Amino acid sequence: MSKAAHISVTLDPQVAAWAQAAAERQDRSLSEVVNAALRTALVQDSLSELSVDEEAEQVAARVDVDIAEQAAVDARRRSRGAA
């Protein structure tokens, strides 16, 4: 990991209280909690910017439906064989 950068930020009082409470609950430093929260938020934001391949999504959805339909057929066959 690269060397940490020391920066100063001003947090809203409520955010600071939440972060401090989380640090105490998790037995972590305030810096660790803030870093983890920022990392999570920034990764989530970057993922929301990814383009979605609509055709691939539709193919995957069809495959899911086909699998579910086959599972239902298999379940009916097993129940008939058990009866």
Side-chain angles (χ1 to χ4, degrees), residues 25-63:
R25 269 194 324 276
Q26 299 170 19
D27 193 30
R28 297 167 73 185
S29 72
L30 185 58
S31 288
E32 289 172 320
V33 169
V34 170
N35 271 309
L38 283 170
R39 188 174 293 110
T40 299
L42 293 171
V43 166
Q44 184 177 2
D45 182 57
S46 68
L47 291 175
S48 70
E49 295 296 318
L50 293 175
S51 62
V52 175
D53 182 342
E54 293 296 332
E55 184 177 344
E57 289 292 316
Q58 290 173 356
V59 168
R62 281 194 297 275
V63 168

Side-chain angles (χ1 to χ4, degrees), residues 13-28:
Q14 183 66 61
V15 172
W18 290 338
Q20 189 61 50
E24 290 170 10
R25 269 194 324 276
Q26 299 170 19
D27 193 30
R28 297 167 73 185

Side-chain angles (χ1 to χ4, degrees), residues 4-21:
H6 181 88
I7 61 170
S8 295
V9 296
T10 302
L11 301 175
D12 293 337
Q14 183 66 61
V15 172
W18 290 338
Q20 189 61 50

